[in-house]
Amino acid sequence: MPPLIPTQSGTLELHDITIVDQSKLKKAISAAALGNAMEWFDFGVYGFVAYALGKVFFPDASPSVQMIAALGTFSVPFLVRPLGGVFFGVLGDRFGRQKVLSTTIIIMAVSTFCIGLIPSYDSIGIWAPILLLLCKLAQGFSVGGEYTGAAIFVAEYAPDRKRGFLGSFLDFGSIAGFVLGAGVVVLLQSILGEDRFVEWGWRLPFFMAAPLGFLGLYLRHAAEETPAFQQQLEMMEREDQEDVENRPRVSFREIATRFWRPLLICVGLVLTTNITYYMLLTYMPSYLTHNMHYAEGHGVLIIIAVMIGMLFVQPVIGMASDRFGRRPFVLFGSVALLVLAVPCFRLIISGEIGLIFLGLFILAVILNAFTGVMASTLPAMFPTRIRYSALASAFNIAIILAGLTPTIAAALVDSSGNLYIPAYYLMLVAVIGIVTGIFMKETANRPLRGATPSASSKKEARELLVQTYEHIEQSVEDIDAEIARLQVQIQALEARKQQYVDLHPKLG
């Protein structure tokens, strides 16, 4: 079982179990999910208007180069996300999750809003794509601390038995943001027409970031700090008798040496989830339009319908993971992706709307298997005092490769002419997912590392206490067995040593 923080009495008792305040929990879930929805609203809008941005900011290029350049501008900000992850991760472990999340949503809202203000290439020349890139870099820096901070915020608030279900609403917000972004694009295209949309209508979705940002900031400012982080500060005060301002300091050498296995598992899960995510929800609209020659509106409508279906599946996966565990869904999703990627793309390139939708929806359900458990799985890998720093670092290193997915896929398909390239790409990712699922430890219904158990009621707290005692007893038995095994090895080594000693005249 995960290690627990010290209790005041030294023995884990009923009063040591955190009873989660339901009203505070609802605020925490809403604040985290809305911020994540805003992040993915921008990603969704950007993916669906990439063809328009290519015409506005790269007008002298061919349509293929325009598409690759626009998606490349989408991918470049992922290079600065590790910097944002390290920066906000350290701040989050020192000053709290709530303060950092309030900061990231401000940066994200302002940078997204500013994209809508950038003049076209015809107006200011090369400065147009440069300003676009600067806004995307600011987004990348803020997003470096956004998803991981929001996942930690929800996980540290959620009761142990509902962490999968409640954590699934974080990516529910992501998908909802995508749906909203795509829906706004389709609505504007139908109202304004293609010419006016490319001329100025594409700016309107980015302006929506301002009210969404203010609402998210209000919710996050109203939410209190997580119980797990408050426990960490209280433990520091009890142990060190120092001022609260002396926040925990993180040694990255310690993270890399002591927690290398969770770091690798985190990277594997993030790669598997987000490459599938970007392939399906960011690249596929461009794939359907540019490579399959569907009208922009038709391709977008199909993706919107798929995403709406994902909204219904997402919380079901999260709830099921609280009962059956997180590992089974990671393994199931990875195996399904390996086996079904090519058949799904065979359906997608068939040319029939019903088969296209079926192929995309199968991939979407596979994606749900990952997104339904990721937000509850990742925070459970690290103890409270380094959780934000470690998770943000590993997550954003992996996201560099994941964020390149639309650009790489577009370039490979364009250069080779092979429409199955995205399927082969996903099959390679599936292998990473299988390896990750094999080596990851189950965390469902367990306390977070470095935290005492948490429950939603006193009745549940009593049940958790009994369950925790059983885990402790099992851990003690496992340790005793390990000690006995080591003692046998030590005795064998002592006997071997004695044989050498007996052969030496001065040592005998």
Side-chain angles (χ1 to χ4, degrees):
M1 61 174 293
L4 304 175
I5 64 171
T7 62
Q8 292 183 1
S9 62
T11 302
L12 183 65
E13 298 177 358
L14 186 62
H15 61 77
D16 292 311
I17 296 179
T18 302
I19 306 296
V20 179
D21 186 301
Q22 295 301 307
S23 62
K24 293 180 181 179
L25 177 61
K26 290 178 182 178
K27 287 182 180 179
I29 300 296
S30 301
L34 181 63
N36 215 41
M38 192 185 123
E39 171 192 345
W40 288 94
F41 170 82
D42 168 64
F43 285 168
V45 167
Y46 200 93
F48 286 106
V49 303
Y51 76 96
L53 295 178
K55 296 177 182 178
V56 172
F57 293 106
F58 309 98
D60 296 331
S62 67
S64 296
V65 174
Q66 286 180 353
M67 180 64 63
I68 294 173
L71 291 175
T73 308
F74 169 86
S75 299
V76 167
F78 286 86
L79 299 176
V80 301
R81 283 185 64 160
L83 297 178
V86 171
F87 179 79
F88 290 115
V90 171
L91 293 181
D93 282 333
R94 293 190 64 191
F95 301 109
R97 289 64 162 117
Q98 186 261 357
K99 293 182 178 66
V100 169
L101 287 175
S102 296
T103 303
T104 57
I105 200 170
I106 293 173
I107 299 174
M108 190 161 51
V110 171
S111 56
T112 302
F113 181 82
C114 286
I115 291 177
L117 299 176
I118 302 174
S120 67
Y121 186 94
D122 293 336
S123 299
I124 60 173
I126 192 64
W127 282 105
I130 291 175
L131 290 175
L132 175 63
L133 181 60
L134 289 176
C135 288
K136 295 300 293 181
L137 289 173
Q139 285 181 337
F141 188 76
S142 66
V143 170
E146 170 61 34
Y147 180 86
T148 51
I152 290 169
F153 199 70
V154 172
E156 291 184 346
Y157 253 112
D160 294 340
R161 291 185 175 181
K162 296 181 180 178
R163 187 166 292 117
F165 174 64
L166 296 174
S168 68
F169 281 96
L170 191 62
D171 283 291
F172 182 95
S174 303
I175 301 167
F178 250 105
V179 172
L180 178 61
V184 168
V185 171
V186 171
L187 181 63
L188 289 173
Q189 285 175 332
S190 62
I191 293 175
L192 299 176
E194 185 66 21
D195 292 337
R196 282 188 293 178
F197 182 81
V198 173
E199 182 181 356
W200 56 269
W202 64 268
R203 302 177 184 274
L204 300 180
F206 294 103
F207 291 152
M208 291 180 62
L212 287 175
F214 281 123
L215 179 58
L217 178 61
Y218 169 77
L219 290 174
R220 290 187 174 182
H221 185 72
E224 296 183 10
E225 189 52 78
T226 67
F229 188 77
Q230 291 176 353
Q231 285 179 353
Q232 176 69 23
L233 294 182
E234 291 171 2
M235 182 191 71
M236 290 173 57
E237 289 184 294
R238 290 198 305 269
E239 290 185 351
D240 301 331
Q241 297 298 317
E242 295 178 355
D243 188 75
V244 176
E245 290 299 320
N246 186 15
R247 306 297 187 189
R249 298 186 180 275
V250 179
S251 167
F252 288 99
R253 178 179 296 180
E254 176 187 7
I255 294 175
T257 54
R258 289 191 57 193
F259 300 98
W260 61 271
R261 178 169 173 165
L263 285 172
L264 290 178
I265 292 173
C266 175
V267 168
L269 184 56
V270 172
L271 283 175
T272 304
T273 303
N274 284 277
I275 289 177
T276 308
Y277 210 134
Y278 292 133
M279 184 72 77
L280 180 62
L281 301 184
T282 299
Y283 174 62
M284 288 311 296
S286 301
Y287 178 87
L288 293 174
T289 300
H290 183 69
N291 299 106
M292 301 301 301
H293 307 295
Y294 295 119
E296 286 87 351
H298 292 167
V300 169
L301 287 175
I302 293 174
I303 298 294
I304 290 176
V306 169
M307 289 189 291
I308 292 174
M310 289 181 67
L311 289 175
F312 291 97
V313 177
Q314 179 74 9
V316 174
I317 297 291
M319 184 182 297
S321 75
D322 285 326
R323 180 173 181 180
F324 302 109
R326 325 290 192 219
R327 290 182 71 238
F329 287 97
V330 174
L331 289 170
F332 165 78
S334 300
V335 172
L337 191 62
L338 181 64
V339 174
L340 298 177
V342 170
C344 284
F345 269 84
R346 186 169 298 167
L347 294 173
I348 292 169
I349 66 176
S350 66
E352 298 183 21
I353 298 261
L355 295 180
I356 294 171
F357 176 81
L358 179 60
L360 291 172
F361 187 70
I362 293 173
L363 290 175
V365 172
I366 294 173
L367 176 58
N368 274 130
F370 303 133
T371 59
V373 303
M374 188 167 72
S376 56
T377 300
L378 296 181
M381 294 182 181
F382 305 99
T384 305
R385 65 188 180 87
I386 65 164
R387 182 170 294 133
Y388 209 147
S389 301
L391 184 53
S393 300
F395 185 95
N396 288 293
I397 289 172
I399 212 72
I400 292 177
L401 294 176
L404 295 173
T405 298
T407 307
I408 294 174
L412 289 176
V413 172
D414 190 64
S415 62
S416 68
N418 189 340
L419 296 179
Y420 284 98
I421 288 292
Y424 304 146
Y425 203 112
L426 291 176
M427 291 175 69
L428 178 62
V429 171
V431 175
I432 298 174
I434 291 172
V435 174
T436 301
I438 291 173
F439 287 98
M440 68 182 286
K441 293 182 179 179
E442 185 56 69
T443 60
N445 299 307
R446 304 286 182 86
L448 295 174
R449 294 184 65 166
T452 52
S454 61
S456 56
S457 65
K458 288 187 176 180
K459 178 183 177 182
E460 186 177 300
R462 295 188 185 93
E463 295 173 355
L464 274 178
L465 186 62
V466 173
Q467 184 181 28
T468 302
Y469 285 160
E470 291 175 352
H471 285 308
I472 292 174
E473 292 166 2
Q474 183 61 51
S475 296
V476 171
E477 291 179 5
D478 293 341
I479 292 172
D480 285 339
E482 181 69 12
I483 291 173
R485 186 183 66 82
L486 291 174
Q487 286 176 338
V488 171
Q489 291 182 348
I490 291 172
Q491 290 174 358
L493 289 172
E494 289 286 355
R496 186 179 176 187
K497 172 188 171 184
Q498 190 60 46
Q499 290 176 353
Y500 285 109
V501 169
D502 292 341
L503 294 173
H504 196 290
K506 293 183 180 180
L507 295 178

